[in-house]
Amino acid sequence: MTSAVWSIEAPGDEEVKDRPLREDIRLLGRILGDTVREQEGEEVYELVERIRQTSIRFHRDDDEAAREELGALLEQLSSQRAVDIIRAFSYFSHLANIAEDEHHIRRNRAHAIAGSAPRAGSLAYSLARAEAQGIGRQQLTDFFSGAHMSPVLTAHPTEVRRKSTLNREMEIAALLDRRERVVPTPAEQEQDEETLRRAVLTLWQTALLRRIKLTVLDEVANGLSYYDYTFLTELPRLYCSIEDKLSQGGSEVALPSFLRIGSWIGGDRDGNPFVTGEVLKQTVRVHRDRILAHYEQELTALGAELSLGARLIKVSPALAELAARSPDRSQEHREEPYRLALAYVLGRLKLTARHLKGEEAEAAEAEVAESLAPYKLAPYENAAALKADLDIIYASLCDHGSKVLARGRLRLLRRAVDCFGFHLACIDLRQNSDVHERVVADLFEKVAPGTNYAGLDEEARIALLLKELATARPLASPFLTYEEETHSELAILRMAAEAHRALGREVIPNCIISKAEGVSDLLEVALLLKEVGLVTADGTTALNIIPLFETIGDLQVCAKVMDRVFSIPAYRKLVSSRGDEQEVMLGYSDSNKDGGFVTSGWELYKAEIGLIEVFRAHNVRLRLFHGRGGSVGRGGGPSYDAILAQPGGAVNGQIRITEQGEIIASKYSNPDMGRRNLEILVSATLEASLLQPQYNAPRTEFLTAMEEISETAFGAYRNLVYETEGFEDYFWSSTVISEIATLNIGSRPASRAKTRSIEKLRAIPWVFSWAQCRLMLPAWYGFGSAVEAFAERRPDYGLSFLQAMYREWPFFRTQLSNMDMVLSKSSLAIASRYAELVPDVELRTQIFGRIRAEYERTIKYVLAIMGQQKLLEDNPLLDRSIRNRFPYLDPLNHLQIELLRQHRANSGDDKVLHGIQLSINGISAGLRNSG
């Protein structure tokens, strides 16, 4: 029997453009099937195939007999057979993801080759729109010169894959890419397929799950991988592309580095006790060492490339001076000025590395430094000094007929130095405001017993903090004993100050306050930064102090908080020292868990409008930092649409966005995909800033309607989640929330406290759990009830009014589009089986009945407002992708449920828990954006 496993059924759509995708999936599926047969035997292979065909029959034909047969097949499996089946179906999801990503790249290349009109999200599309609106070259240059954009990598635990697995998947992707770009001979094709078989076999024999918990430094190392995959190469190329487009028809444009990569990994200690001063120190060190190694590698390669002879070319006096100071005194290079100059730069860079590492330098580095001593080279004071030398080389090449050489590796290196400095990533510090409060209280109590800072009201706190901020002397004393938490927090801040002295302000530019609620939360951080010299008594700060407003209540008062703090001269002076710019972070995840998807989105939108007005009144430039997750339930969804849906004036060239968990790998593990996603961020920011009115607002009646809808949706969501007796028991029984905690997918604890309380649970496992049981409840619950109530109050025009809102208002359109997508990934039939895990029959019947009714209501009104007959009607590509995945997802869900039953009945079989963990991995891969 030939391997028929994993072939995708074409749903009658034989478009040429999709045929290569189906061929890739069939190829990978055939290889996976062969691998299963060879490694696990014919019996396992036949079982996998039977399950696959039965599941397809059920989905394609809505065959109830097939569903019953599937259930019977899966329920009778031993734990070992269940693990075999889960692995097979999980790997198919991973391989299908690879094929889909490669198909996106293929289609983008096909459009470029065919000379198609620029596509939305591309830089060419945005610039064409700008030209059509009369925006000229100078205005665009000015925009980029004042812009600030940053994707910020976090270590939020929603990426269930190991790095070893990811590396094998990247190898498979590279092989598919080679097959696409190169026409092979028969022998080469045979060799390529054998290489693919080796990669799939290695993947099959590599453990999907981590056996030990990640440390923070493991997460730092994983984060660094994306610089190797994408950022170090593609970010400089993107800058060059933008500059080239702006330079067409005029003089050469040189832009500042407005797009930088940020990171929370190693600096985010909110709820993570494992982030310490020592961990931050090591994080800064490995970042520094990685970027210095990259520069050394590129300089060495340039030295090999630029073998230009002095008898054949001319050079600038500045270049000649660099060459004259070169430590390279070999006879073969004495008439090669560029090689000599590059040897000089490389020598100084090596001394810089030795100087920055200090006692940590390896013996070989110390020997190199000693060998350079006779040439009296000095370490670079900073990255700008390195770039200045590279600029000399660049200018000499350009001015003497070798510009095409200057525009190669050297140009990319100059941009990398400007963008990454000696620090590589801009690390954010983050801590919870409750911790800051306790530390400040401890400091005050030790020097003035009886202060009782925690017992003071807000105004008294503000007065005390301002008084202390105006004092030059530190509050802490080395002769006093403080709480361990105080020591830990001050150690981290002292490490940040040390990093600033060594590598400059960009190494740690931001300090974020989680759960910010009032003015004192910002002033407490200013005081703590003053303790380590990062804030001065005369009103300067070396870090941006950034409040993070997370809950619905916090979002509702954030504009008032910022208005009040800007009215305080001492704080306003700190803002002035940062160029009259203030960043505010908005939390999508916690606000969603707090109030549901509809109200979270609406309160975020209103908060932005309020902030825009306050910042305008105080003449402060606003930068919004969007704390979005991967899933819709945590603010996810297409970035391009989300940025364009912001209120007028909310972007204005300034934006930071978190990139979390599995989304980091999906966006940045492939250089082509990574470049595309970076370009989308730039393009959307440009369009939202220049091509949309800065002060536009939707129709007043739209705002009023949205307020009403939000209020009703909020009530429905809160009533179910927080006010229904027994809902916590239902949630913990009907989802994999308990088992998620056994996965080693992050260093941070899953909950802020050891409790079953949903309020204390982190937003990530909350959303992740609902995705696993295929309900995605946080991403839609309450919308159906809200719209139904709205329409019933206006029987003559309610629905048509909402349809107009959908057509005319990007915010509302994006909300509906995201619900359309997430509902299409849901399965009420699967979710009903998870509900059966709840032992209390009356409780599960009552709660699931409410969920079912709301689900059906929500789909009804989403379709009605969007004018669709079925979900994803306007997105056939995504619709096909999801429908093709269901036959491979459903068996994983069925097996997960059966294994959960056994595990919770105290089976004592380790394979049962292992199977559950594997199924979490496979379902997550099949859904793609589940956290």
Side-chain angles (χ1 to χ4, degrees):
M1 175 182 176
T2 59
S3 290
V5 181
W6 318 123
S7 62
I8 285 290
E9 307 294 331
D13 184 352
E14 292 296 329
E15 293 181 52
V16 174
K17 65 181 182 181
D18 288 335
R19 190 172 299 145
L21 170 62
R22 293 195 295 274
E23 290 173 353
D24 280 349
I25 292 180
R26 287 190 179 109
L27 170 66
L28 293 175
R30 175 166 53 82
I31 293 173
L32 176 61
D34 291 343
T35 302
V36 170
R37 177 192 278 119
E38 292 163 6
Q39 297 297 307
E40 309 304 327
E42 190 70 31
E43 181 184 346
V44 172
Y45 168 77
E46 293 288 354
L47 180 60
V48 168
E49 180 62 8
R50 186 179 171 192
I51 292 169
R52 181 190 76 86
Q53 290 180 346
T54 306
S55 187
I56 287 176
R57 197 167 76 246
F58 164 57
H59 275 278
R60 183 184 59 203
D61 305 328
D62 199 20
D63 186 335
E64 191 59 34
R67 181 187 177 184
E68 291 177 7
E69 180 184 347
L70 181 64
L73 269 173
L74 297 173
E75 286 169 11
Q76 68 185 11
L77 297 178
S78 67
S79 57
Q80 180 56 57
R81 279 290 173 265
V83 167
D84 292 337
I85 300 304
I86 289 169
R87 291 183 69 224
F89 279 83
S90 296
Y91 276 121
F92 171 72
S93 289
H94 287 290
L95 293 173
N97 290 345
I98 295 169
E100 284 192 352
D101 288 344
E102 285 302 312
H103 189 59
H104 287 310
I105 295 168
R106 177 188 294 123
R107 293 308 309 153
N108 286 333
R109 293 187 73 245
H111 282 290
I113 292 168
S116 304
R119 306 177 75 193
S122 68
L123 193 61
Y125 177 83
S126 301
L127 294 176
R129 283 194 63 201
E131 184 179 1
Q133 292 193 23
I135 296 174
R137 179 171 173 267
Q138 188 57 53
Q139 190 174 349
L140 288 168
T141 301
D142 292 343
F143 164 76
F144 285 118
S145 297
H148 181 104
M149 309 171 200
S150 180
V152 181
L153 310 188
T154 78
H156 285 51
T158 59
E159 172 56 89
V160 293
R161 286 177 297 177
R162 296 175 60 209
K163 188 171 183 294
S164 298
T165 304
L166 183 59
N167 287 343
R168 298 289 73 73
E169 291 180 13
M170 290 171 59
E171 181 183 354
I172 293 168
L175 289 166
L176 289 182
D177 189 65
R178 170 182 154 77
R179 287 167 57 89
E180 171 66 25
R181 300 189 190 214
V182 177
V183 179
T185 65
E188 289 170 338
Q189 187 167 353
E190 185 177 329
Q191 184 179 5
D192 284 349
E193 182 164 324
E194 184 175 338
T195 307
L196 267 175
R197 288 181 177 278
R198 281 198 297 271
V200 172
L201 176 58
T202 304
L203 197 61
W204 182 259
Q205 295 182 339
T206 299
L208 270 170
L209 303 175
R210 300 182 185 93
R211 288 298 185 185
I212 57 174
K213 195 172 183 65
L214 286 172
T215 67
V216 179
L217 291 178
D218 290 332
E219 292 170 333
V220 171
N222 289 342
L224 274 178
S225 302
Y226 298 99
Y227 288 84
D228 296 328
Y229 302 153
T230 292
F231 299 134
L232 289 176
T233 55
E234 297 307 315
L235 191 52
R237 286 173 182 158
L238 177 59
Y239 275 112
C240 292
S241 174
I242 296 170
E243 288 177 336
D244 288 346
K245 285 179 169 64
L246 295 180
S247 299
Q248 290 173 358
S251 58
E252 188 173 295
V253 170
L255 297 173
S257 294
F258 61 86
L259 174 60
R260 296 175 184 267
I261 309 301
S263 178
W264 280 10
I265 311 173
D268 177 14
R269 57 204 193 281
D270 178 17
N272 192 339
F274 306 111
V275 176
T276 63
E278 180 60 27
V279 164
L280 179 61
K281 178 181 180 179
Q282 294 302 320
T283 301
V284 171
R285 179 184 64 78
V286 297
H287 283 184
R288 176 202 67 202
D289 292 353
R290 180 64 193 91
I291 193 59
L292 292 177
H294 174 71
Y295 296 157
E296 183 173 335
Q297 176 184 329
E298 292 302 297
L299 284 168
T300 301
L302 273 172
E305 290 174 6
L306 296 181
S307 54
L308 287 63
R311 296 173 186 269
L312 302 172
I313 56 148
K314 294 180 179 180
V315 299
S316 68
L319 189 285
E321 185 179 342
L322 293 186
R325 300 171 65 186
S326 175
D328 183 352
R329 301 300 167 91
S330 63
Q331 287 297 308
E332 61 179 316
H333 294 157
R334 63 190 179 89
E335 291 189 357
E336 295 175 338
Y338 285 102
R339 277 183 165 168
L340 295 174
L342 286 162
Y344 167 79
V345 174
L346 182 58
R348 290 192 66 185
L349 182 69
K350 289 181 176 179
L351 288 175
T352 304
R354 173 70 177 85
H355 170 72
L356 290 173
K357 293 179 182 180
E359 295 179 358
E360 297 173 352
E362 297 178 1
E365 292 172 313
E367 290 175 8
V368 168
E370 190 173 332
S371 70
L372 292 170
Y375 305 104
K376 295 183 170 43
L377 304 184
Y380 285 112
E381 182 180 350
N382 49 43
L386 168 60
K387 184 172 180 296
D389 278 352
L390 295 176
D391 289 346
I392 289 172
I393 300 171
Y394 184 85
S396 180
L397 287 168
C398 291
D399 293 343
H400 295 90
S402 301
K403 188 171 184 177
V404 69
L405 298 178
R407 285 173 52 82
R409 188 186 299 272
L410 176 59
R411 185 187 185 194
L412 298 175
L413 177 58
R414 289 170 64 239
R415 174 56 69 182
V417 171
D418 191 62
C419 186
F420 300 115
F422 289 158
H423 59 278
L424 183 66
C426 302
I427 301 171
D428 288 357
L429 301 182
R430 185 173 78 125
Q431 182 56 286
N432 194 286
S433 62
D434 291 342
V435 175
H436 296 148
E437 178 187 321
R438 291 195 295 268
V439 171
V440 167
D442 189 30
L443 291 173
F444 276 125
E445 200 63 28
K446 292 301 190 300
V447 297
T451 300
N452 188 22
Y453 178 81
L456 299 178
D457 63 24
E458 177 70 356
E459 292 306 314
R461 289 186 182 192
I462 291 171
L464 182 58
L465 291 166
L466 288 174
K467 180 181 177 182
E468 191 59 38
L469 278 169
T471 306
R473 55 124 181 93
L475 182 61
S477 167
F479 306 107
L480 295 175
T481 302
Y482 297 99
E483 299 294 332
E484 180 57 35
E485 185 176 55
T486 302
H487 279 295
S488 177
E489 289 302 306
L490 291 178
I492 286 172
L493 297 180
R494 290 190 184 105
M495 182 56 235
E498 183 180 324
H500 272 225
R501 288 190 291 272
L503 299 174
R505 288 187 171 189
E506 287 303 311
V507 62
I508 302 175
N510 304 308
C511 188
I512 299 168
I513 309 157
S514 295
K515 204 172 76 66
E517 298 171 338
V519 170
S520 62
D521 293 329
L522 283 80
L523 298 181
E524 286 167 0
V525 168
L527 179 61
L528 294 176
L529 291 175
K530 186 173 82 71
E531 287 299 299
V532 298
L534 293 172
V535 163
T536 64
D538 59 359
T540 66
T541 175
L543 276 77
N544 296 310
I545 299 172
I546 303 170
L548 165 52
F549 299 103
E550 301 181 79
T551 67
I552 298 297
D554 295 342
L555 291 171
Q556 290 172 339
V557 301
C558 68
K560 291 180 180 178
V561 171
M562 297 312 298
D563 186 39
R564 174 71 200 285
V565 78
F566 286 157
S567 300
I568 298 173
Y571 188 84
R572 184 63 181 82
K573 198 172 182 183
L574 293 177
V575 175
S576 296
S577 76
R578 301 296 295 179
D580 288 316
E581 292 183 350
Q582 169 74 53
E583 187 169 305
V584 172
M585 185 172 183
L586 301 176
Y588 289 62
S589 303
D590 283 285
S591 61
N592 186 296
K593 185 169 77 73
D594 187 26
F597 174 70
V598 176
T599 299
S600 170
W602 177 232
E603 292 299 338
L604 285 160
Y605 189 90
K606 288 196 301 180
E608 292 184 33
I609 292 174
L611 290 169
I612 291 165
E613 293 172 351
V614 166
F615 276 60
R616 192 176 297 142
H618 288 275
N619 199 27
V620 175
R621 187 174 192 181
L622 170 65
R623 178 184 304 130
L624 286 173
F625 184 6
H626 300 269
R628 306 170 75 228
S631 64
V632 170
R634 294 184 51 241
S639 298
Y640 180 76
D641 294 334
I643 294 172
L644 293 183
Q646 298 298 304
V651 180
N652 200 23
Q654 307 284 306
I655 194 167
R656 294 210 301 152
I657 300 178
T658 53
E659 303 282 21
Q660 303 182 10
E662 79 282 10
I663 297 303
I664 300 176
S666 69
K667 283 188 172 183
Y668 301 116
S669 60
N670 178 290
D672 289 307
M673 294 289 286
R675 164 71 177 273
R676 169 72 175 157
N677 281 292
L678 291 171
E679 190 171 326
I680 284 172
L681 176 59
V682 174
S683 300
T685 304
L686 187 154
E687 290 182 41
S689 303
L690 294 185
L691 307 184
Q692 297 182 170
Q694 291 299 294
Y695 308 112
N696 71 326
R699 288 158 48 182
T700 304
E701 54 266 38
F702 287 176
L703 300 175
T704 304
M706 195 64 223
E707 186 70 27
E708 181 181 328
I709 290 169
S710 172
E711 184 178 349
T712 309
F714 179 76
Y717 175 85
R718 293 285 302 186
N719 181 263
L720 176 74
V721 174
Y722 294 104
E723 297 166 10
T724 297
E725 186 176 351
F727 185 81
E728 283 179 3
D729 294 334
Y730 179 91
F731 169 67
W732 284 84
S733 297
S734 68
T735 71
V736 292
I737 180 64
S738 299
E739 290 73 18
I740 284 172
T742 68
L743 287 169
N744 296 308
I745 58 176
S747 65
R748 192 171 74 163
S751 184
R752 292 182 170 88
K754 291 184 178 180
T755 173
R756 286 164 60 91
S757 166
I758 291 172
E759 288 184 343
K760 298 293 183 183
L761 185 68
R762 293 188 185 281
I764 293 170
W766 164 254
V767 171
F768 197 91
S769 299
W770 288 114
Q772 285 284 310
C773 70
R774 303 279 292 282
L775 256 184
M776 326 290 189
L777 182 140
W780 54 266
Y781 194 91
F783 181 78
S785 293
V787 171
E788 183 174 75
F790 182 90
E792 285 177 353
R793 295 188 194 104
R794 303 160 182 82
D796 296 335
Y797 67 91
L799 188 57
S800 61
F801 178 86
L802 295 176
Q803 290 169 338
M805 266 178 69
Y806 172 75
R807 289 192 303 271
E808 298 177 27
W809 191 11
F811 164 77
F812 193 59
R813 188 162 57 249
T814 300
Q815 292 272 94
L816 270 291
S817 176
N818 284 335
M819 277 190 282
D820 185 30
M821 182 270 287
V822 82
L823 287 165
S824 71
K825 290 187 177 183
S826 305
S827 170
L828 208 60
I830 295 292
S832 68
R833 295 207 59 208
Y834 281 89
E836 293 169 5
L837 294 170
V838 180
D840 186 328
V841 177
E842 184 179 348
L843 179 67
R844 78 186 184 211
T845 301
Q846 177 218 344
I847 291 181
F848 189 74
R850 290 175 61 183
I851 292 172
R852 178 192 295 275
E854 184 64 17
Y855 177 85
E856 291 170 350
R857 255 193 308 270
T858 298
I859 289 180
K860 171 186 173 181
Y861 285 108
V862 164
L863 294 178
I865 294 170
M866 297 180 74
Q868 297 181 171
Q869 297 300 309
K870 64 172 188 171
L871 295 171
L872 291 181
E873 187 175 300
D874 292 336
N875 193 342
L877 290 176
L878 181 57
D879 181 45
R880 282 202 299 277
S881 172
I882 291 173
R883 283 192 290 107
N884 280 330
R885 285 168 183 269
F886 273 3
Y888 305 94
L889 266 176
D890 287 4
L892 292 172
N893 283 112
H894 282 283
L895 284 171
Q896 187 180 83
I897 293 163
E898 186 57 34
L899 293 173
L900 283 170
R901 279 202 185 92
Q902 296 176 33
H903 178 62
R904 293 174 182 180
N906 298 315
S907 71
D909 186 345
D910 289 342
K911 286 188 174 64
V912 171
L913 178 58
H914 184 57
I916 294 169
Q917 294 168 332
L918 286 169
S919 70
I920 292 172
N921 179 301
I923 293 167
S924 177
L927 295 172
R928 302 215 74 171
N929 54 348
S930 58

